[in-house]
Amino acid sequence: MSRSLRVAYLAHSFRSDWNNGNAHFLRGLMRHLGELGHEIHLFEPECSWSLENLELESNGRQSLQQFDRVYANLRLQTYSASQGMDATYWLRTLEEMDFVLLHEWNPPELAHVLLGLRQEAGFRILFHDTHHRASSSPEAIARFGIDRFDGVLVFGDSLRSIYVNTFGLDKVWTLHEAADTSVFRPLNPMRKADDVVWIGNWGDEERSAEIKHFLVKPAESLSDRRFTIYGVRYPEEAQAVLRSAGVRYGGYLPNLMAPETYAAAWLTVHIPRQQYATECMTGIPTIRVFEALACGIPLISAPWTDTEKLFREGDYLSVRNADEMRRAIEYLLSDREAAAAQAVRGLETLLARHTCRHRAEQLTKIFEELLS
């Protein structure tokens, strides 16, 4: 681009990844936007739901320290609850910005404060949606006044269709999530601690049945194999189900520790939430797919249709039910050569198409389009 842009991004949290998968991608996207020469300013509340829960974890402080170390180059500023609704504060803070990006996990009231300032401050403002509420709860998205934004970024074509057809918007761009390959890359541990590892949250019954069917049930029949699950919001009854199946529950895992966790396991799985396996929001993978492939670990996916052809055939194995999952696990664990070949293929696709650098370059082109 001919000149450096000043970009502000407002998110629920960059520091905390506790039940906040958005942080994974946004950290890398902002880092790589900066490496392209743009001036990046990040903003998050002093106190947030994700951060408050992270601080209750025994390794929460470690996670925050690791973020500070790994992303030391990010310019992050926190604001108080009163500042968040203060138009004067935001005018003073954002008046030199070219673009302001607002993530959907923010209060609608903040959106209206910013929308009221954009003409006076002179910035363009984009709404960034990486969730399913536009489909499952469109009235919640409508409260943001999205028709007043200069455009919308979404993380899948199916979601883009909803914004175009349901909300009647025309400036909507698909910006898929991706892996920050400066962090997520293959490592070589001295030994394997697990046969199968899965990193994912329980969360609001959106895939609890799927976890039981595609991971717990196969684990019960493969009692000689080591299964471990990491994640949060697992109620005691869910933890009891894991224990009865011989699955170790590791609790909260800082996302920046995922590469070494994947490296210490032979394979992992993809268990999409229900909303992304159904026709309304189909074709959107979880961020864990990108990160796992970037770490060079073989992947088996529960039912999910890659409608956008993000990946090549053979990048991962697809299964339809618990029995196929069990057989696929047995196959990859017994045929190390086939597992390694699949991991190499998946990594090749990831590096060629789905890094945060790719998305930063794409976002720069979107900026250029809006400025032209």
Side-chain angles (χ1 to χ4, degrees):
M1 193 165 185
S2 58
R3 67 183 179 94
S4 170
L5 294 174
R6 291 162 296 190
V7 180
Y9 198 111
L10 283 71
H12 175 78
S13 184
F14 292 95
R15 293 175 292 168
S16 174
D17 59 13
W18 196 97
N19 202 66
N20 180 19
N22 303 303
H24 305 193
F25 172 54
L26 296 182
R27 295 167 175 177
L29 177 64
M30 293 300 106
R31 186 214 293 273
H32 286 278
L33 269 180
E35 291 179 352
L36 289 177
H38 303 302
E39 182 182 313
I40 308 301
H41 299 261
L42 308 182
F43 298 90
E44 67 172 74
E46 290 176 351
C47 299
S48 67
W49 176 82
S50 178
L51 181 62
E52 290 171 352
N53 280 281
L54 176 64
E55 291 175 336
L56 297 176
E57 297 285 350
S58 61
N59 53 352
R61 181 176 295 275
Q62 173 193 4
S63 179
L64 292 171
Q65 291 173 341
Q66 192 173 22
F67 166 78
D68 288 339
R69 183 174 67 256
V70 173
Y71 291 99
N73 60 328
L74 293 183
R75 182 181 295 149
L76 175 65
Q77 181 174 331
T78 62
Y79 58 88
S80 67
S82 61
Q83 287 173 326
M85 295 299 112
D86 185 344
T88 302
Y89 167 78
W90 287 116
L91 178 61
R92 182 175 66 253
T93 303
L94 302 176
E95 62 182 348
E96 295 185 353
M97 298 298 155
D98 296 298
F99 285 93
V100 173
L101 280 64
L102 181 74
H103 191 265
E104 58 86 20
W105 198 8
N106 274 295
E109 294 80 8
L110 176 58
H112 290 286
V113 170
L114 300 177
L115 287 166
L117 297 174
R118 67 173 176 171
Q119 286 190 338
E120 182 177 0
F123 56 72
R124 290 171 172 80
I125 183 169
L126 299 175
F127 187 70
H128 189 189
D129 194 347
T130 59
H131 198 254
H132 58 70
R133 285 193 298 168
S135 172
S136 61
S137 184
E139 67 280 1
I141 295 299
R143 286 198 286 270
F144 284 89
I146 55 170
D147 58 321
R148 298 171 59 198
F149 282 78
D150 292 291
V152 177
L153 306 172
V154 298
F155 70 152
D157 281 351
S158 58
L159 184 54
R160 182 181 182 278
S161 295
I162 292 172
Y163 274 93
V164 171
N165 299 323
T166 301
F167 294 105
L169 305 183
D170 56 357
K171 291 189 179 298
V172 187
W173 294 269
T174 296
L175 184 73
H176 286 289
E177 294 181 317
D180 182 358
T181 50
S182 66
V183 174
F184 294 89
R185 58 188 185 277
L187 302 176
N188 295 305
M190 296 299 294
R191 65 181 185 86
K192 299 291 188 182
D194 293 298
D195 291 300
V196 181
V197 67
W198 184 63
I199 308 172
N201 303 326
W202 187 260
D204 301 327
E205 299 299 316
E206 291 182 351
R207 61 178 168 205
S208 53
E210 289 77 7
I211 294 172
K212 293 175 183 176
H213 186 77
F214 287 100
L215 197 54
V216 176
K217 189 173 181 180
E220 288 176 332
S221 60
L222 295 171
S223 58
D224 59 327
R225 298 297 188 176
R226 296 164 296 177
F227 285 72
T228 297
I229 285 180
Y230 293 95
V232 300
R233 304 182 71 189
Y234 283 75
E236 177 52 39
E237 56 267 30
Q239 294 182 41
V241 168
L242 298 184
R243 287 193 296 270
S244 67
V247 176
R248 185 175 78 87
Y249 174 56
Y252 167 72
L253 180 76
N255 188 52
L256 295 176
M257 292 181 63
E260 60 191 76
T261 303
Y262 284 134
W266 288 108
L267 64 91
T268 190
V269 298
H270 171 220
I271 306 178
R273 295 179 186 271
Q274 297 166 5
Q275 291 81 1
Y276 308 120
T278 59
E279 60 182 49
C280 289
M281 295 280 287
T282 190
I284 302 176
T286 70
I287 185 68
R288 303 288 185 183
V289 172
F290 298 113
E291 292 174 348
L293 294 183
C295 290
I297 185 173
L299 175 71
I300 306 172
S301 178
W304 173 75
T305 304
D306 183 11
T307 56
E308 296 184 53
K309 305 301 181 185
L310 299 175
F311 305 103
R312 300 178 297 170
E313 184 177 353
D315 287 346
Y316 57 86
L317 292 182
S318 297
V319 299
R320 294 170 295 181
N321 52 52
D323 188 53
E324 288 190 3
M325 177 65 81
R326 176 187 57 79
R327 293 202 299 269
I329 290 172
E330 289 182 311
Y331 165 64
L332 290 180
L333 291 179
S334 62
D335 192 332
R336 302 292 192 215
E337 185 174 336
Q342 180 189 305
V344 168
R345 184 175 177 82
L347 177 60
E348 288 175 348
T349 299
L350 187 289
L351 294 176
R353 304 179 184 179
H354 305 303
T355 70
C356 284
R357 178 75 178 208
H358 288 108
R359 303 300 186 258
E361 291 172 346
Q362 180 187 354
L363 184 52
T364 296
K365 291 179 181 178
I366 293 171
F367 291 154
E368 291 175 336
E369 181 178 343
L370 284 166
L371 290 172
S372 63

